[in-house]
mmCIF file of all heavy atoms in Angstrom:
data_model
loop_
_atom_site.group_PDB
_atom_site.id
_atom_site.type_symbol
_atom_site.label_atom_id
_atom_site.label_comp_id
_atom_site.label_asym_id
_atom_site.label_seq_id
_atom_site.Cartn_x
_atom_site.Cartn_y
_atom_site.Cartn_z
ATOM 1 N N THR E 140 20.287 -23.792 72.429
ATOM 2 C CA THR E 140 19.821 -22.665 71.597
ATOM 3 C C THR E 140 20.928 -22.111 70.700
ATOM 4 O O THR E 140 20.666 -21.253 69.864
ATOM 5 C CB THR E 140 19.327 -21.492 72.471
ATOM 6 O OG1 THR E 140 20.422 -21.068 73.281
ATOM 7 C CG2 THR E 140 18.151 -21.871 73.334
ATOM 8 N N MET E 141 22.150 -22.570 70.895
ATOM 9 C CA MET E 141 23.282 -21.970 70.167
ATOM 10 C C MET E 141 23.221 -22.313 68.676
ATOM 11 O O MET E 141 22.858 -23.434 68.307
ATOM 12 C CB MET E 141 24.606 -22.477 70.752
ATOM 13 C CG MET E 141 24.793 -22.072 72.196
ATOM 14 S SD MET E 141 26.303 -22.752 72.899
ATOM 15 C CE MET E 141 25.851 -24.420 73.212
ATOM 16 N N ALA E 142 23.564 -21.309 67.856
ATOM 17 C CA ALA E 142 23.484 -21.504 66.401
ATOM 18 C C ALA E 142 24.777 -21.021 65.743
ATOM 19 O O ALA E 142 25.480 -20.153 66.284
ATOM 20 C CB ALA E 142 22.303 -20.729 65.848
ATOM 21 N N ILE E 143 25.083 -21.605 64.587
ATOM 22 C CA ILE E 143 26.250 -21.157 63.804
ATOM 23 C C ILE E 143 25.759 -20.786 62.406
ATOM 24 O O ILE E 143 25.049 -21.570 61.761
ATOM 25 C CB ILE E 143 27.323 -22.260 63.722
ATOM 26 C CG1 ILE E 143 27.858 -22.582 65.120
ATOM 27 C CG2 ILE E 143 28.475 -21.825 62.811
ATOM 28 C CD1 ILE E 143 28.789 -23.767 65.162
ATOM 29 N N ASN E 144 26.109 -19.581 61.996
ATOM 30 C CA ASN E 144 25.655 -19.060 60.699
ATOM 31 C C ASN E 144 26.329 -19.799 59.544
ATOM 32 O O ASN E 144 27.539 -20.028 59.567
ATOM 33 C CB ASN E 144 25.997 -17.564 60.630
ATOM 34 C CG ASN E 144 25.153 -16.847 59.604
ATOM 35 O OD1 ASN E 144 24.782 -17.432 58.585
ATOM 36 N ND2 ASN E 144 24.854 -15.585 59.874
ATOM 37 N N LEU E 145 25.538 -20.187 58.547
ATOM 38 C CA LEU E 145 26.120 -20.903 57.401
ATOM 39 C C LEU E 145 26.105 -20.062 56.121
ATOM 40 O O LEU E 145 26.558 -20.518 55.070
ATOM 41 C CB LEU E 145 25.356 -22.221 57.157
ATOM 42 C CG LEU E 145 25.455 -23.261 58.275
ATOM 43 C CD1 LEU E 145 24.626 -24.498 57.941
ATOM 44 C CD2 LEU E 145 26.910 -23.669 58.538
ATOM 45 N N HIS E 146 25.578 -18.829 56.192
ATOM 46 C CA HIS E 146 25.580 -17.963 55.013
ATOM 47 C C HIS E 146 27.016 -17.502 54.755
ATOM 48 O O HIS E 146 27.717 -17.125 55.702
ATOM 49 C CB HIS E 146 24.653 -16.763 55.238
ATOM 50 C CG HIS E 146 24.398 -15.993 53.974
ATOM 51 N ND1 HIS E 146 25.333 -15.134 53.439
ATOM 52 C CD2 HIS E 146 23.340 -15.981 53.130
ATOM 53 C CE1 HIS E 146 24.856 -14.630 52.313
ATOM 54 N NE2 HIS E 146 23.631 -15.132 52.109
ATOM 55 N N PRO E 147 27.461 -17.505 53.497
ATOM 56 C CA PRO E 147 28.868 -17.163 53.237
ATOM 57 C C PRO E 147 29.283 -15.795 53.797
ATOM 58 O O PRO E 147 30.442 -15.607 54.177
ATOM 59 C CB PRO E 147 28.980 -17.166 51.705
ATOM 60 C CG PRO E 147 27.670 -17.571 51.163
ATOM 61 C CD PRO E 147 26.734 -17.876 52.270
ATOM 62 N N ASP E 148 28.345 -14.854 53.879
ATOM 63 C CA ASP E 148 28.711 -13.518 54.381
ATOM 64 C C ASP E 148 29.095 -13.528 55.867
ATOM 65 O O ASP E 148 29.761 -12.604 56.337
ATOM 66 C CB ASP E 148 27.537 -12.537 54.200
ATOM 67 C CG ASP E 148 27.310 -12.230 52.733
ATOM 68 O OD1 ASP E 148 28.185 -12.611 51.924
ATOM 69 O OD2 ASP E 148 26.250 -11.648 52.407
ATOM 70 N N ALA E 149 28.608 -14.538 56.598
ATOM 71 C CA ALA E 149 28.916 -14.561 58.037
ATOM 72 C C ALA E 149 29.238 -15.985 58.470
ATOM 73 O O ALA E 149 28.955 -16.391 59.595
ATOM 74 C CB ALA E 149 27.714 -14.033 58.809
ATOM 75 N N TYR E 150 29.837 -16.735 57.562
ATOM 76 C CA TYR E 150 30.077 -18.169 57.774
ATOM 77 C C TYR E 150 30.845 -18.427 59.078
ATOM 78 O O TYR E 150 31.914 -17.837 59.304
ATOM 79 C CB TYR E 150 30.853 -18.747 56.586
ATOM 80 C CG TYR E 150 30.814 -20.261 56.542
ATOM 81 C CD1 TYR E 150 29.671 -20.927 56.143
ATOM 82 C CD2 TYR E 150 31.932 -21.007 56.901
ATOM 83 C CE1 TYR E 150 29.626 -22.318 56.100
ATOM 84 C CE2 TYR E 150 31.904 -22.391 56.866
ATOM 85 C CZ TYR E 150 30.737 -23.047 56.460
ATOM 86 O OH TYR E 150 30.687 -24.410 56.424
ATOM 87 N N GLY E 151 30.279 -19.268 59.918
ATOM 88 C CA GLY E 151 30.970 -19.630 61.170
ATOM 89 C C GLY E 151 30.642 -18.720 62.337
ATOM 90 O O GLY E 151 31.079 -18.983 63.452
ATOM 91 N N ASP E 152 29.876 -17.658 62.111
ATOM 92 C CA ASP E 152 29.538 -16.772 63.244
ATOM 93 C C ASP E 152 28.616 -17.504 64.219
ATOM 94 O O ASP E 152 27.709 -18.232 63.816
ATOM 95 C CB ASP E 152 28.849 -15.494 62.747
ATOM 96 C CG ASP E 152 29.881 -14.443 62.359
ATOM 97 O OD1 ASP E 152 31.083 -14.770 62.387
ATOM 98 O OD2 ASP E 152 29.471 -13.318 62.026
ATOM 99 N N PHE E 153 28.876 -17.234 65.470
ATOM 100 C CA PHE E 153 28.228 -17.965 66.548
ATOM 101 C C PHE E 153 27.120 -17.099 67.138
ATOM 102 O O PHE E 153 27.394 -15.962 67.534
ATOM 103 C CB PHE E 153 29.321 -18.250 67.579
ATOM 104 C CG PHE E 153 28.941 -19.154 68.694
ATOM 105 C CD1 PHE E 153 28.404 -20.398 68.449
ATOM 106 C CD2 PHE E 153 29.160 -18.774 70.013
ATOM 107 C CE1 PHE E 153 28.070 -21.249 69.484
ATOM 108 C CE2 PHE E 153 28.837 -19.612 71.057
ATOM 109 C CZ PHE E 153 28.298 -20.850 70.780
ATOM 110 N N VAL E 154 25.908 -17.606 67.192
ATOM 111 C CA VAL E 154 24.784 -16.786 67.677
ATOM 112 C C VAL E 154 24.262 -17.402 68.970
ATOM 113 O O VAL E 154 23.644 -18.472 68.960
ATOM 114 C CB VAL E 154 23.649 -16.722 66.622
ATOM 115 C CG1 VAL E 154 22.624 -15.662 67.025
ATOM 116 C CG2 VAL E 154 24.200 -16.424 65.245
ATOM 117 N N ASP E 155 24.543 -16.693 70.052
ATOM 118 C CA ASP E 155 24.298 -17.297 71.366
ATOM 119 C C ASP E 155 23.613 -16.280 72.280
ATOM 120 O O ASP E 155 24.223 -15.745 73.206
ATOM 121 C CB ASP E 155 25.662 -17.731 71.947
ATOM 122 C CG ASP E 155 25.521 -18.414 73.290
ATOM 123 O OD1 ASP E 155 24.429 -18.920 73.605
ATOM 124 O OD2 ASP E 155 26.523 -18.436 74.041
ATOM 125 N N PRO E 156 22.322 -16.033 72.062
ATOM 126 C CA PRO E 156 21.668 -14.942 72.793
ATOM 127 C C PRO E 156 21.490 -15.204 74.283
ATOM 128 O O PRO E 156 21.296 -14.272 75.049
ATOM 129 C CB PRO E 156 20.297 -14.830 72.103
ATOM 130 C CG PRO E 156 20.073 -16.138 71.449
ATOM 131 C CD PRO E 156 21.415 -16.677 71.089
ATOM 132 N N PHE E 157 21.553 -16.449 74.707
ATOM 133 C CA PHE E 157 21.244 -16.731 76.121
ATOM 134 C C PHE E 157 22.471 -17.182 76.923
ATOM 135 O O PHE E 157 22.326 -17.685 78.028
ATOM 136 C CB PHE E 157 20.163 -17.809 76.204
ATOM 137 C CG PHE E 157 18.890 -17.426 75.522
ATOM 138 C CD1 PHE E 157 18.529 -18.012 74.317
ATOM 139 C CD2 PHE E 157 18.068 -16.457 76.071
ATOM 140 C CE1 PHE E 157 17.353 -17.648 73.689
ATOM 141 C CE2 PHE E 157 16.891 -16.088 75.442
ATOM 142 C CZ PHE E 157 16.538 -16.683 74.246
ATOM 143 N N GLY E 158 23.643 -17.025 76.347
ATOM 144 C CA GLY E 158 24.849 -17.440 77.070
ATOM 145 C C GLY E 158 24.964 -18.946 77.196
ATOM 146 O O GLY E 158 25.399 -19.466 78.228
ATOM 147 N N GLY E 159 24.578 -19.664 76.175
ATOM 148 C CA GLY E 159 24.664 -21.130 76.193
ATOM 149 C C GLY E 159 26.095 -21.600 76.386
ATOM 150 O O GLY E 159 26.346 -22.577 77.098
#
Side-chain angles (χ1 to χ4, degrees):
T140 60
M141 297 177 283
I143 297 173
N144 201 328
L145 295 178
H146 192 283
D148 291 349
Y150 196 75
D152 274 5
F153 188 54
V154 191
D155 182 21
F157 301 107

